[in-house]
Amino acid sequence: MSDPVSALGGARFTGFADIREIGPVGMITLRGKGLKAFDKAIKTAVGTKVPAQRRIEVAGDKACGWMSPDEYLLVMPYAEVPKALAAIALALAGQHHLAVDVSDARAVFRVEGEKAADVLRKLAPADLDLMAPGELRRTRAAQVAVAFWQQDGGFTVVCFRSVAGYVMGLLRHSAMQGSELA
Amino acid sequence: MSTRLAKGGRLIDRTAAVEFTFNGKRLRGYQGDTLASALLANDQMLVGRSFKYHRPRGIVASGPEEPNALVNLGSGARLEPNQRTTVTELFDGLESTSQNHWPSLEFDVGVLNNYAARFLPSGFYYKTFIHPRPFWKHVFEPIIRRSAGLGKAPTTGDADRYEQAYAFCDVLIVGGGVAGLMAARAAAKGGGRVILLEQSPQLGGRSPVDETEVEGKPVEAWLDAVEAGLRAMDNVTIRTRTTGAGVYDHGYVLADERVADHTPGDGRPKHRLWRIRAGRIITATGAIERPLSFAGNDIPGVMLAGAVRDFVAGYAVSPGDRTVVVTNNDSAYLTALALKAAGLDVPAVLDARDDATGALPETARAAGIRVLTGRAIAKVKGGKRVTGVAICAQAGEGAVLEEIDCDAVAMSGGWSPVVHLYSHCGGKLLWDEAISAFVPDPSRPPLNHDGSAMVEVVGAAAGHLDLGSILAADVSAGVETKGRRKEDARKTVSTSVTIPPIWVMPQGAPIAMRSKMWLDYQNDVKVSDVQLAAREGYQSVEHTKRYTTLGMATDQGKLSNINGLAVLADALGQEIPQVGTTTFRPPYTPVTIGALAGESRGEIFQPLRRTPMHESHEKSGAYFEPVGLWRRPYCFPRAGETHEQAVHREVLNTRSNLGLLDASTLGKIIVKGPDAGKFLDMLYTGVMSTLPVGKCRYGLMCNEQGFLSDDGVVARIDEDTWLCHTTSGGADRIHAWMEDWLQCEWWDWQVYTANVTEQYAQVAVVGPNARKLLQVLGGMDVSRESLPFMQWADGTLGGFPVRVYRISFSGELSYEIAIPASRGAAFWAACMEAGKALGAMPYGTEALHVMRAEKGFIMIGDETDGTVIPQDLGLDWAISKKKTDYLGKRGQERSYLASTDRWKLAGFETLDGSVIPDGSYIVADGTNGNGQRNTQGRVTSTYYSPTLRRGIAMGLLRHGPTRMGEVVEFNTVSGGTVKARVRDAVFFDKDGEKQNV
Amino acid sequence: MLTLECPYCGVMADETELSPGYEAHLKRFGPGASPEEFEAYMFARKNPKGVHFERWRHTYGCGKWFLAARCTATLEVFGTYPAQVSAPPADIIAKIQARRPNWQPDWQPDGKAPE
Ligand SMILES: [Zn+2]
């Protein structure tokens, strides 16, 4: 059997910021609210606490982000998704929830460099100055939905897989040398 | 002549010469020049022709309000028409050409219109449209088409790139003059985020030219200190070359930054459109000087007085050697003094007022300048250039008292505060009699989301036309805080400047003079045109504007709309505030389409959605079609094949061997929870709660009106989980529809949904050899017994983790196989490879459509159009009779939907085997009230069936199902009809023997 | 272009992150409803110049529907609130009345429209 491939096969661009498509990255959409064993389910799946509103809790190569009052995005290495799903199923057995593998439905980018934020300022109607460290922002980049957060001195940007080429095009256009916002 | 002065020029760098061309002529200027100042320095006063009469036009202004001096800038892929020379910064190699003349700027045929002016009065176009009709078509239109239009549209794509950016701030200040800088300084102290926008390259506004000191410091020193102070603060952003273009709801401001207009081709984006969201907006946009209306006020060499001194002080350019100043206020004396100081002649200042005793007139007199009060210009002499003026009494009817030779006229009709941004979002204006101008009414501002004033106005834009009143108004009061200023923080200050309501000179000018007084220089609207409009019954200023085209030129009336209103008010015998102003609409100055489009060009014009197999299809030479934002292969033509031939081959091969379809775009939504069954029973017309685990069922969704909205196969995954397939275009819409009902109506139901459309690639393996292919791949048991029709199973095939649905949209033995998207391309390749010996070929959406039509399967969007209920399509079997409710049930009970007279689905076969044209109606006897043939139905799907070798169609026909065998007529494009026999809509394999194997 | 605070995310969302959903607090009428009731449910919409209640979805954000009370004439926003209510909550009513003292709700406490 073949290995899983990301939407753009690791495309890259260097302008005033560095753009890299990464992945495949493991992702689970977890929906539920006010469940007893929620802490435990997330802890065993990705090793973090339950994030507060608009927060993302990062633990090494895993993370859990708040997507809505009843939805979380769990991030982990691609191969660990089945194990995490099993852990969630066990912890939340009998309680109303939905956990589903969405790893392949996404494309993930890293935007890095001192002026990485300028790239996103050109695409999203979000106030990046007010974005606290550890905040996950769901918004749009030009014409498509994205989510991003700051991590390791840059931004991780997530979009739908089918529009990965479009988002790469947006990031490339916005990171062109000489178009810094300063 | 206009020329460069030996000394001075605050803005130019004499050590940096710059070469440029105008109409092919090589000219020189300096770094820091505008194109206008450099043209004047080269004695190029004549720069264009007016729109209607092709009158010679010279530079009038020094800023963005310039109506005349518009040029084509650049060439080829960098050609931009209608660029204002007064705001175009000069750069080495700049190319410019004048506009709106033929064959040349100096000699223009269109000027004949000038002599025909009495045949082209206001409303000319409207009047001529009416009669005589043939005259319009054969005489006027060709002439007007030839002569109309300003610059030439570029014929190639733009070589530059543009971008947009979002910014947020607590206080946005538009305008970097003294008032704007003071507001910024105060706002910055509060610690909030401050953005200051200035349209020109430098800060300071008019102050370096018009003032000597600010707050006890020399102007330049004050400006440098304030700018340095602001730039040192982290919370302040200053953007020069950036125009605040529009103010919209809730503090939203569009601003156009001209990043690289002056450095073309340096790799930076040409423009950047800022989308700013500001807590508060302070506009410090200054005021624009008005012309005076006198005969010949459009002759090149007649300029605004402020512009004349801008050119002298800023660029060391004298518009003329002998300049007559004409004014109704004190500010123009600054021009007389500046010219005098530069060693130029000022033969006279003509002041329309009876007295001129202010400080400036007295200084002028002391400097030996001849000041004539109560005087006006009876006529400007000259053609392509001013040669002199005839002087008369302002109070009289124009009897000439004296003639003075001169080569320039500097005029000032007062100042109009720039209230545009304040007005864009509903701010109301007051008429200020002291300065004869509209000013913002602070008691009726545009409102923010919290009901507070969204826009405040400071400086000259608020009517404070002198520095003293700007300082006295204390713009800093209440600005410091991050929060909202107190309503009473601002002092009420009236400016010491007065401007009398003098609009036309002389006061009693006869028609011969009034028809030579220009209001709108570009569109050729004169005082007499507005007066004619009033006589013809135009009372509303909005109507007069459109009738006369006053203020409809590219400057949008910045220069002289107020003059026009005043003339209209006078003609109507009304006060100016009664007549009111036309609406101020964004953008303040033109914003190029490139900036508005931003990044949305070329590859990223719109998001194209690609399936995991997209690249493979491209390599196979697929011809794609858009399905929503998706791109799907329409067919896979081989060398030498037409698309039609390819489709026929794909259909026949699938029916006889094996076809592979990329079905990844199919919507897939997981619905899970204790109430999921109940929820789906509300959503679908059928029953989904009883579907056994492991089985599939076809379902229909309707909107609340009862009309079909989507369809698809639902699979029961486990006890509380269903997977709903939607149409390709429908996934997001249906997911949103589900969430709407769950969040807003049945919020106590325990159901979660997830749209997993993109998690899976989906391949339809279709045809008699379908099972064999899966067996070659190897893995799970896909036999008839283990995986019967309308069931699904998880397993592996060829080592891939798969979920296999045994469903068919073609009537063939068919498996739809879902694999994780990251393995979609590999699985597709594996299928193609394994299928070689089985005759596998990929097929596209058109073959899919033909095969489903051969089977009589409906397609959302073909058989439905938002007015069709499932019962119309004979889908009663998919509607539960037992359920008390589902979305759309009440709607379908409405009498006209329940009527037996509705058009209902049937199949059609033409008697001659031809294909019925798309969109055909089935004609009925007689005609309707409009004399059109009556109709009794229409075609919904029509194809050539390669399987049956004839045209087949589905359509809606009144009482259709009861009319089998009857012959009806479809209209055709050529006007005739084609006969077709009504039949069952299933054309092929009615008993489903091919799919149940 | 409006900004509305999403009551779920707490962000001031730009209108371009939102989708409009038209009038809020409609009561659904299904089978058994009279033609008049059904017609009103389907087609009769308020179009006030002034206080209005609307549905908005934070489409590009959390995906949730919320409701907004705003003035259609001045674009003032009195407040936003979660969609899981059949009538505007008391604090929203109080905020509206603080700014529009003469404004009265046109429904009754049970959520029914007045006769
Ligand atoms: Zn939200």
Side-chain angles (χ1 to χ4, degrees):
Chain A
M1 189 184 83
S2 64
D3 288 332
V5 291
S6 66
L8 304 178
R12 283 169 167 265
F13 175 76
T14 301
F16 70 77
D18 289 314
I19 316 292
R20 288 186 288 135
E21 192 226 3
I22 59 170
V25 175
M27 286 189 186
I28 292 169
T29 287
L30 175 59
R31 296 195 61 179
K33 200 176 178 182
L35 302 183
K36 274 201 316 276
F38 222 56
D39 302 21
K40 196 179 152 205
I42 288 175
K43 189 87 193 169
T44 36
V46 289
T48 72
K49 63 178 185 179
V50 182
Q53 185 194 50
R54 292 210 314 276
R55 308 290 302 173
I56 181 161
E57 299 293 339
V58 179
D61 55 5
K62 297 178 186 170
C64 180
W66 186 96
M67 298 288 271
S68 87
D70 60 10
E71 182 180 338
Y72 298 87
L73 178 68
L74 277 54
V75 184
M76 69 211 74
Y78 188 85
E80 293 183 30
V81 169
K83 202 176 72 189
L85 281 173
I88 293 166
L90 191 66
L92 298 180
Q95 301 183 66
H96 172 46
H97 75 283
L98 170 63
V100 55
D101 182 359
V102 292
S103 314
D104 290 38
R106 307 277 193 265
V108 186
F109 297 88
R110 285 284 297 165
V111 182
E112 292 167 342
E114 204 183 316
K115 297 195 166 161
D118 281 3
V119 178
L120 299 177
R121 283 180 216 274
K122 297 181 191 180
L123 299 172
D127 191 346
L128 269 79
D129 294 343
L130 299 188
M131 221 177 115
E135 181 171 343
L136 181 155
R137 183 69 155 92
R138 297 183 75 178
T139 178
R140 63 179 175 83
Q143 302 173 56
V144 297
V146 293
F148 52 76
W149 62 90
Q150 292 178 61
Q151 193 180 338
D152 308 327
F155 287 85
T156 301
V157 181
V158 181
C159 68
F160 283 106
R161 182 184 184 104
S162 67
V163 293
Y166 172 75
V167 170
M168 183 69 197
L170 292 177
L171 294 171
R172 189 184 301 144
H173 182 273
S174 302
M176 295 268 258
Q177 208 62 257
S179 69
E180 298 88 337
L181 292 179
Chain B
M1 62 183 291
S2 63
T3 186
R4 182 85 66 185
L5 299 166
K7 287 185 303 196
R10 186 175 61 93
L11 300 171
I12 54 167
D13 177 357
R14 290 183 191 257
T15 66
V18 170
E19 291 216 350
F20 70 103
T21 65
F22 177 71
N23 286 346
K25 227 184 325 176
R26 296 174 72 83
L27 302 170
R28 281 165 74 95
Y30 293 121
Q31 194 75 48
D33 261 325
T34 61
L35 180 53
S37 68
L39 286 169
L40 287 174
N42 287 279
D43 197 26
Q44 185 67 52
M45 178 61 87
L46 174 66
V47 287
R49 294 270 174 175
S50 64
F51 191 65
K52 195 156 103 182
Y53 301 144
H54 290 234
R55 302 256 305 175
R57 286 286 175 256
I59 295 160
V60 170
S62 57
E65 68 273 26
E66 174 62 39
N68 287 349
L70 310 183
V71 294
N72 297 308
L73 202 62
S75 59
R78 287 209 162 85
L79 170 66
E80 278 190 291
N82 300 338
Q83 295 303 295
R84 289 155 295 158
T85 56
T86 48
V87 294
T88 300
E89 292 176 61
L90 199 67
F91 55 84
D92 212 28
L94 178 150
E95 297 169 76
S96 59
T97 55
S98 53
Q99 307 185 151
N100 199 34
H101 54 72
W102 179 76
S104 80
L105 176 60
E106 294 293 326
F107 174 76
D108 180 73
V109 165
V111 79
L112 292 174
N113 286 356
N114 190 22
Y115 303 113
R118 67 192 178 91
F119 302 116
L120 297 169
S122 50
F124 161 75
Y125 296 95
Y126 300 109
K127 287 166 181 165
T128 310
F129 262 124
I130 296 168
H131 51 233
R133 284 283 170 98
F135 217 61
W136 170 259
K137 189 168 179 202
H138 299 294
V139 180
F140 285 120
E141 190 181 322
I143 293 173
I144 288 168
R145 287 230 178 273
R146 170 116 224 179
S147 57
L150 291 168
K152 291 262 179 296
T155 52
T156 55
D158 193 331
D160 284 300
R161 68 197 164 85
Y162 301 81
E163 65 179 29
Q164 303 189 347
Y166 296 85
F168 297 80
C169 63
D170 297 295
V171 184
L172 173 74
I173 294 135
V174 185
V178 169
L181 288 167
M182 291 175 79
R185 186 176 62 181
K189 276 187 203 146
R193 289 178 291 174
V194 176
I195 297 176
L196 173 68
L197 306 180
E198 167 54 43
Q199 63 188 0
S200 57
Q202 315 83 23
L203 298 175
R206 295 209 56 81
S207 66
V209 176
D210 289 0
E211 308 296 339
T212 50
E213 284 193 345
V214 183
E215 294 181 324
K217 277 190 192 168
V219 175
E220 301 263 5
W222 185 88
L223 290 174
D224 289 346
V226 174
E227 180 175 352
L230 290 171
R231 290 202 187 272
M233 298 180 83
D234 283 342
N235 59 330
V236 179
T237 307
I238 299 177
R239 293 205 180 276
T240 52
R241 296 188 175 95
T242 307
T243 304
V247 171
Y248 306 83
D249 317 332
H250 293 182
Y252 187 65
V253 174
L254 281 187
D256 183 25
E257 181 179 9
R258 294 174 299 283
V259 180
D261 267 0
H262 58 302
T263 55
D266 73 347
R268 296 187 297 164
K270 185 171 166 66
H271 284 214
R272 180 180 292 129
L273 188 78
W274 286 94
R275 301 168 171 274
I276 304 170
R277 196 65 86 159
R280 304 163 52 192
I281 299 162
I282 298 176
T283 66
T285 43
I288 291 177
E289 196 166 27
R290 301 191 288 246
L292 282 165
S293 304
F294 48 83
N297 65 347
D298 71 322
I299 294 172
V302 179
M303 298 174 67
L304 294 171
V308 169
R309 60 183 185 273
D310 283 345
F311 285 117
V312 172
Y315 309 96
V317 166
S318 67
D321 300 327
R322 284 170 61 80
T323 305
V324 167
V325 176
V326 57
T327 185
N328 67 357
N329 68 91
D330 284 1
S331 69
Y333 287 86
L334 285 169
T335 302
L337 290 163
L339 290 167
K340 194 84 182 163
L344 298 160
D345 272 353
V346 180
V349 176
L350 310 177
D351 196 322
R353 299 171 295 183
D354 290 333
D355 310 297
T357 54
L360 281 169
E362 293 305 347
T363 311
R365 286 189 184 99
I369 296 172
R370 186 182 173 212
V371 175
L372 301 172
T373 55
R375 290 292 180 267
I377 289 180
K379 183 188 179 186
V380 178
K381 296 160 67 177
K384 287 179 215 157
R385 186 69 205 247
V386 172
T387 58
V389 294
I391 300 172
C392 64
Q394 168 63 19
E397 294 182 356
V400 175
L401 304 173
E402 182 185 348
E403 294 196 352
I404 300 179
D405 285 347
C406 62
D407 58 356
V409 174
M411 64 182 163
S412 179
W415 296 81
S416 297
V418 175
V419 295
H420 299 63
L421 297 181
Y422 180 78
S423 303
H424 283 170
C425 218
K428 298 290 186 284
L429 304 176
L430 286 173
W431 180 251
D432 184 337
E433 297 212 344
I435 57 169
S436 299
F438 281 106
V439 295
D441 179 352
S443 70
R444 293 181 297 161
L447 298 184
N448 219 328
H449 58 85
D450 59 358
S452 64
M454 183 166 81
V455 183
E456 296 163 76
V457 187
V458 298
H464 299 146
L465 294 182
D466 63 315
L467 187 60
S469 59
I470 289 172
L471 297 174
D474 193 8
V475 299
S476 58
V479 173
E480 303 89 344
T481 52
K482 234 176 129 171
R484 200 134 305 280
R485 74 184 286 172
K486 289 194 173 63
E487 288 306 319
D488 56 358
R490 194 198 297 172
K491 293 179 196 165
T492 305
V493 170
S494 54
T495 181
S496 62
V497 172
T498 56
I499 295 170
I502 293 171
W503 308 108
V504 172
M505 63 175 30
Q507 195 184 319
I511 179 69
M513 279 187 182
R514 283 182 274 122
S515 61
K516 291 277 186 288
M517 294 177 185
W518 261 255
L519 291 167
D520 190 314
Y521 290 87
Q522 193 183 106
N523 275 359
D524 284 317
V525 182
K526 298 163 294 172
V527 168
S528 56
D529 293 320
V530 172
Q531 290 169 332
L532 173 64
R535 281 204 305 281
E536 289 183 331
Y538 284 85
Q539 302 197 344
S540 150
V541 60
E542 295 284 5
H543 293 161
T544 305
K545 165 182 164 175
R546 283 152 185 84
Y547 189 58
T548 62
T549 71
L550 172 74
M552 288 171 71
T554 55
D555 68 309
Q556 291 284 290
K558 287 188 182 63
L559 220 52
S560 38
N561 236 22
I562 298 294
N563 296 11
L565 297 180
V567 169
L568 179 65
D570 180 62
L572 295 172
Q574 291 179 355
E575 299 296 317
I576 290 172
Q578 264 177 275
V579 172
T581 64
T582 51
T583 308
F584 294 92
R585 291 197 177 83
Y588 171 59
T589 50
V591 178
T592 187
I593 297 284
L596 297 175
E599 80 292 333
S600 300
R601 269 178 81 183
E603 278 290 296
I604 51 173
F605 171 67
Q606 64 174 4
L608 293 191
R609 301 179 71 184
R610 296 175 172 93
T611 74
M613 290 83 105
H614 188 91
E615 231 175 285
S616 158
H617 302 329
E618 278 180 339
K619 281 182 194 144
S620 312
Y623 171 73
F624 289 88
E625 70 161 348
V627 179
L629 291 173
W630 290 105
R631 286 294 177 272
R632 299 190 69 183
Y634 174 91
C635 62
F636 294 83
R638 292 179 168 178
E641 252 182 2
T642 64
H643 292 168
E644 193 183 19
Q645 289 165 338
V647 170
H648 294 170
R649 170 180 52 74
E650 289 168 15
V651 169
L652 293 174
N653 184 68
T654 303
R655 292 243 183 263
S656 55
N657 295 307
L658 181 58
L660 297 175
L661 175 80
D662 178 358
S664 305
T665 59
L666 207 66
K668 307 159 200 86
I669 300 168
I670 291 176
V671 179
K672 185 185 179 205
D675 296 316
K678 176 165 87 168
F679 174 62
L680 293 178
D681 285 350
M682 283 302 294
L683 226 58
Y684 286 93
T685 59
V687 181
M688 293 300 168
S689 54
T690 58
L691 180 65
V693 172
K695 297 219 161 167
C696 301
R697 186 172 288 167
Y698 176 69
L700 304 171
M701 280 192 228
C702 297
N703 61 23
E704 275 284 66
Q705 294 220 50
F707 299 126
L708 260 174
S709 127
D710 208 77
D711 70 344
V713 170
V714 178
R716 179 95 178 245
I717 305 301
D718 62 32
E719 196 47 45
D720 64 355
T721 310
W722 282 254
L723 184 116
C724 304
H725 286 110
T726 75
T727 55
S728 285
D732 290 337
R733 180 173 51 87
I734 296 301
H735 183 232
W737 172 246
M738 289 177 171
E739 284 292 326
D740 190 351
W741 287 100
L742 289 171
Q743 291 175 33
C744 302
E745 185 72 21
W746 304 310
W747 58 75
D748 52 339
W749 293 13
Q750 293 200 308
V751 182
Y752 286 127
T753 69
N755 183 353
V756 294
T757 301
E758 299 207 14
Q759 171 67 15
Y760 300 100
Q762 200 137 318
V763 178
V765 177
V766 183
N769 293 340
R771 187 175 289 131
K772 283 185 209 144
L773 174 74
L774 304 194
Q775 284 160 348
V776 172
L777 286 171
M780 61 195 287
D781 182 358
V782 292
S783 64
R784 177 180 186 163
E785 297 70 31
S786 302
L787 187 54
F789 188 54
M790 295 305 270
Q791 293 205 19
W792 65 271
D794 282 341
T796 62
L797 284 171
F800 290 86
V802 294
R803 174 168 290 166
V804 180
Y805 303 90
R806 178 98 195 266
I807 54 184
S808 178
F809 198 41
S810 57
E812 297 298 323
L813 171 64
S814 165
Y815 298 86
E816 292 212 1
I817 300 159
I819 48 267
S822 65
R823 294 190 165 96
F827 183 73
W828 177 265
C831 290
M832 290 299 291
E833 181 62 30
K836 268 183 187 162
L838 300 167
M841 288 181 196
Y843 69 94
T845 50
E846 187 64 2
L848 164 115
H849 279 263
V850 172
M851 287 191 280
R852 69 93 193 164
E854 288 173 344
K855 281 293 292 179
F857 293 141
I858 66 135
M859 182 69 100
I860 298 292
D862 286 335
E863 274 61 46
T864 72
D865 64 355
T867 68
V868 171
I869 58 174
Q871 293 87 339
D872 295 338
L873 302 181
L875 294 169
D876 305 70
W877 59 270
I879 303 169
S880 165
K881 310 288 177 299
K882 291 186 212 140
K883 292 198 302 190
T884 54
D885 195 5
Y886 59 83
L887 298 181
K889 184 173 170 70
R890 177 64 185 84
Q892 289 162 0
E893 288 167 1
R894 286 178 290 172
S895 57
Y896 75 98
L897 291 181
S899 159
T900 53
D901 278 342
R902 292 198 44 95
W903 292 2
K904 296 206 171 201
L905 190 79
F908 299 91
E909 262 176 357
T910 49
L911 301 189
D912 61 4
S914 65
V915 180
I916 296 168
D918 238 329
S920 277
Y921 276 83
I922 306 169
V923 296
D925 290 339
T927 56
N928 66 16
N930 294 324
Q932 298 156 326
R933 277 295 287 271
N934 283 326
T935 57
Q936 54 177 331
R938 61 183 171 87
V939 73
T940 54
S941 292
T942 172
Y943 298 98
Y944 175 78
S945 162
T947 314
L948 305 170
R949 296 199 190 137
R950 55 174 294 105
I952 61 167
M954 295 158 74
L956 297 166
L957 172 65
R958 183 179 295 126
H959 307 144
T962 66
R963 295 170 65 177
M964 296 298 148
E966 209 179 295
V967 172
V968 294
E969 287 180 64
F970 287 83
N971 64 357
T972 63
V973 180
S974 58
T977 59
V978 56
K979 287 191 167 70
R981 183 166 283 114
V982 184
R983 52 155 296 162
D984 183 329
V986 185
F987 293 87
F988 177 72
D989 188 23
K990 179 142 178 76
D991 299 329
E993 285 167 4
K994 289 201 79 182
Q995 70 191 22
N996 282 319
V997 292
Chain C
M1 206 145 48
L2 309 179
T3 38
L4 295 172
E5 182 172 359
C6 173
Y8 305 105
C9 292
V11 296
M12 286 298 283
D14 193 275
E15 191 175 325
T16 59
E17 280 189 6
L18 307 170
S19 307
Y22 319 108
E23 188 177 325
H25 303 303
L26 294 179
K27 178 177 162 25
R28 178 174 184 259
F29 284 91
S34 70
E36 291 73 24
E37 286 169 328
F38 189 71
E39 182 197 21
Y41 164 52
M42 280 285 93
F43 305 115
R45 292 294 176 271
K46 291 171 185 163
N47 186 23
K49 181 179 182 181
V51 176
H52 195 38
F53 299 90
E54 290 174 332
R55 288 157 28 91
W56 289 87
R57 184 177 184 225
H58 196 188
T59 306
Y60 284 99
C62 62
K64 298 296 185 197
W65 284 96
F66 65 88
L67 307 180
R70 68 180 186 99
C71 175
T72 58
T74 66
L75 306 186
E76 287 168 84
V77 179
F78 305 109
T80 54
Y81 50 101
Q84 293 77 38
V85 286
S86 50
D91 64 314
I92 295 286
I93 301 294
K95 281 181 194 164
I96 297 169
Q97 286 179 331
R99 302 243 283 277
R100 299 283 187 279
N102 297 326
W103 177 83
Q104 289 298 326
D106 62 352
W107 64 88
Q108 287 164 0
D110 59 4
K112 279 191 190 134
E115 294 306 311

